[in-house]
Amino acid sequence: MKKFFLVSWLFLTALAAGADAGPLSWRLILSGAWEDSRLLRGMADFRLGIAPVGLSFRALALDRRPLNFDSERAWDDFIEKGSSAWALGLYHAGTGSRLLYGPVVESGLPARIRNPWGRAAPFAENRGPVSADLRSSAVVSMPAQAHLYLSSPAFDLFGASSLSPVSIRPFASAQIDAQGPARPAFSGGAEVSSRAGAFLLEGFFTGFELPAKEPAAWFGDPPALPQRDFSLGAVSLIFRSAYFSLAGDLARSRAFAFGEGHYGSVAAQIRPPLSGSARPGPWSLSLSFEGMGELFVGREGIAHGGGTRAAARVERRGPRASLFRAEASARAPLVGEPFDRSAANLSYRFAALSARADIPLLRLTRVALGAGRNAANQARVEDTAEASVGLSFRLPPMALPLALLPASARSGARPRVYPLGLVLSGALALKGDGFQGAGGEASPPALPFFPAGQEFASAKAAGELSWLPGIFQLRTKWQRHFRSGKDGIWEGSLSLSARFGKGRLSARVAWPEFPKKSLYTLSWRLEL
């Protein structure tokens, strides 16, 4: 922790004199938190911009260590069990090229094939190109990587004077682990853009040795595996236009003494145009389907099990940020097997009030409904349902001192209405012992709440209040848990935060089991 503050102080004092140095610009962010009365983390994020050459430099210093005042070894653990890390990055604004060193988080194709079941359904509109950046959270236990991403500016294939201009932007990247085995990974591709739309082609490859693996028990599945070679290759295609998008991924993995596995996904989105207009309309339909073999090993060298998943989403985006969304997904344990898990959600966010509209005494802000079933274990079917509604109550106008108002609201300040927000929610969980079909075999369908011998398992009712007067944010949430065969428990939290021109300070107290236990959190952020 001493190194963390030393680095922060050096950044602040050494660069303060050069803050207005014309083509040079800099920013320093100091942030941290004491979380749940037991963990202290801090981060210093320094960025230096060099405008004439379009380059920017970034340096991160991260620190994380236990700090539990209830422990007799609080100070010893603070000194002995702390960990620190640092990261560096060099960026080019015009092309997005970058050179990184430190804990890196990937996005795009490498992230999609890391663990498909651990991510939401990969709809076409949610897919992006291969990219990576420094992990800004204080996860100092993550290993450091060296990552290089190079991209050229988009250039015209047929000249700028062409009636149908077509531009192309090639790119490539390479990454290795800076500690331990190198585990190299490579990606590359090209993005072609025209008036008709944009087409993105990407490829990815990595290969390294997987460590030996022992079974969890005798005759376990999978069995003991020796140290073995592993390779993973993938290709991605994405096409986007004003009214239609189409995307697909295909990956193949090979692991010695384990086998060869495949993963594939395809997704499409349709946005019909408005009647008599060339612009896309407010409605959109998104479809996604993916399948993975049992022997497929993901980006990190871990097999997550085979299966298929299908998903669909319908959206309508209206004026003033209103949004209607209906989404459903279903998953099967094996390719070709019937679905045994499903989830469906329906939500609507009401349009925000216009600047000149009168604020009503009571206004609905959003409603949401959801239901799901998990019948992976046919002898223990789990059904869930949840619902929430958001309300806004008008309070009398308040005249706050200028010092307690955001800078953007100080000019011509007058009494304002700061509504009180309320979110009411509830959840229900049922568990059953399966459904006996006509043939006598347990085959519960994927539809939630279809008869499967369900019994009450648990329920939850919650209410959350929020009030945002001036620079302050006040929130409190209370919920009651009901469990079959056990006493119900109360859970609550209360938080207060203040936003200043150059930072934020917040405090929170939570009761995981009110009033027996309380946890405190204090967080801060200062931007210079």
Side-chain angles (χ1 to χ4, degrees):
M1 183 60 74
K2 293 181 179 179
K3 295 180 180 179
F4 167 74
F5 286 110
L6 177 61
V7 171
S8 303
W9 180 81
L10 289 176
F11 280 149
L12 177 62
T13 56
L15 297 171
D20 300 322
L24 297 180
S25 61
W26 66 272
R27 185 177 65 171
L28 175 63
I29 299 175
L30 302 176
S31 63
W34 179 50
E35 298 176 343
D36 296 335
S37 304
R38 55 177 178 261
L39 178 66
L40 181 66
R41 61 176 178 85
M43 181 186 74
D45 186 352
F46 171 72
R47 306 190 187 197
L48 175 67
I50 309 173
V53 292
L55 291 176
S56 62
F57 171 78
R58 184 183 184 189
L60 281 171
L62 310 172
D63 189 87
R64 177 175 176 166
R65 57 191 65 239
L67 183 58
N68 186 355
F69 293 108
D70 294 333
S71 173
E72 296 181 355
R73 287 181 47 85
W75 181 247
D76 293 334
D77 290 344
F78 180 81
I79 299 297
E80 298 172 2
K81 297 184 179 181
S83 55
S84 302
W86 55 273
L88 300 172
L90 183 64
Y91 304 81
H92 183 254
T95 62
S97 301
R98 59 196 61 189
L99 176 62
L100 310 174
Y101 180 86
V104 170
V105 56
E106 296 175 313
S107 58
L109 178 59
R112 292 197 297 272
I113 60 175
R114 183 179 299 273
N115 176 13
W117 304 144
R119 300 169 58 90
F123 291 111
E125 62 269 27
N126 296 336
R127 303 194 187 201
V130 170
S131 183
D133 204 353
L134 298 177
R135 189 181 295 269
S136 57
S137 60
V139 187
V140 297
S141 60
M142 298 293 295
Q145 291 97 23
H147 181 94
L148 174 64
Y149 175 85
L150 296 176
S151 172
S152 76
F155 58 88
D156 295 321
L157 287 178
F158 308 111
S161 60
S162 174
L163 296 179
S164 299
V166 177
S167 63
I168 184 171
R169 181 184 67 88
F171 56 87
S173 70
Q175 177 176 304
I176 60 172
D177 284 5
Q179 301 167 356
R183 297 165 57 105
F186 306 93
S187 65
E191 182 177 13
V192 180
S193 302
S194 67
R195 293 177 180 176
F199 180 81
L200 179 66
L201 170 64
E202 296 176 320
F204 173 84
F205 178 82
T206 184
F208 50 88
E209 284 191 346
L210 294 176
K213 183 175 183 179
E214 297 293 335
W218 284 8
F219 307 106
D221 185 22
L225 296 172
Q227 187 174 359
R228 59 213 182 277
D229 292 334
F230 163 72
S231 64
L232 171 64
V235 64
S236 173
L237 299 172
I238 301 176
F239 171 76
R240 288 193 174 95
S241 66
Y243 312 121
F244 179 74
S245 297
L246 181 65
D249 295 338
L250 183 62
R252 182 182 69 173
S253 70
R254 287 181 176 179
F256 178 75
F258 188 72
E260 179 178 311
H262 298 84
Y263 167 78
S265 70
V266 61
Q269 185 191 43
I270 302 174
R271 299 178 297 275
L274 288 169
S275 177
S277 173
R279 296 184 304 169
W283 288 95
S284 67
L285 170 64
S286 300
L287 302 173
S288 171
F289 182 83
E290 53 190 327
M292 184 165 67
E294 290 185 83
L295 300 182
F296 179 77
V297 179
R299 167 74 174 92
E300 291 184 329
I302 301 174
H304 296 279
T308 59
R309 179 170 59 178
R313 175 193 289 171
V314 176
E315 285 187 347
R316 187 189 189 280
R317 297 183 179 271
R320 300 193 303 277
S322 65
L323 174 64
F324 166 81
R325 174 179 290 174
E327 185 173 339
S329 64
R331 180 180 162 188
L334 297 172
V335 177
E337 294 288 327
F339 295 113
D340 62 2
R341 297 181 228 187
S342 67
N345 297 280
L346 184 68
S347 65
Y348 184 72
R349 183 178 64 209
F350 292 84
L353 295 175
S354 62
R356 298 183 179 181
D358 293 332
I359 301 177
L361 181 62
L362 175 63
R363 184 173 70 91
L364 273 173
T365 58
R366 58 188 175 96
V367 293
L369 297 171
R373 163 164 286 190
N374 184 350
N377 182 355
Q378 296 186 356
R380 191 174 178 83
V381 180
E382 299 179 0
D383 289 338
T384 57
E386 55 187 9
S388 66
V389 57
L391 304 169
S392 178
F393 296 90
R394 185 187 66 191
L395 299 180
M398 292 179 57
L400 295 177
L402 293 181
L404 302 182
L405 292 175
S408 58
R410 293 177 183 175
S411 178
R414 62 182 185 277
R416 287 190 56 188
V417 174
Y418 299 99
L420 179 68
L422 172 64
V423 178
L424 300 175
S425 61
L428 174 67
L430 304 178
K431 292 186 178 180
D433 55 4
F435 170 75
Q436 296 297 323
E441 296 181 357
S443 55
L447 296 175
F449 300 101
F450 196 91
Q454 292 99 327
E455 294 181 352
F456 173 80
S458 64
K460 179 178 67 175
E464 181 177 2
L465 282 171
S466 59
W467 189 42
L468 286 70
I471 64 173
F472 298 104
Q473 295 183 8
L474 177 64
R475 299 180 186 273
T476 182
K477 182 177 181 179
W478 293 89
Q479 55 188 10
R480 175 75 170 175
H481 292 268
F482 305 91
R483 298 171 295 177
S484 176
K486 298 181 180 180
D487 295 333
I489 60 172
W490 279 99
E491 180 180 342
S493 65
L494 176 64
S495 64
L496 174 64
S497 63
R499 296 169 291 127
F500 306 99
K502 294 293 185 179
R504 183 187 72 246
L505 180 64
S506 62
R508 180 176 182 267
V509 55
W511 295 273
E513 191 172 349
F514 184 84
K516 297 180 179 179
K517 186 178 182 181
S518 58
L519 300 175
Y520 301 92
T521 297
L522 180 66
S523 61
W524 58 90
R525 174 187 171 94
L526 178 62
E527 183 174 341
L528 303 172

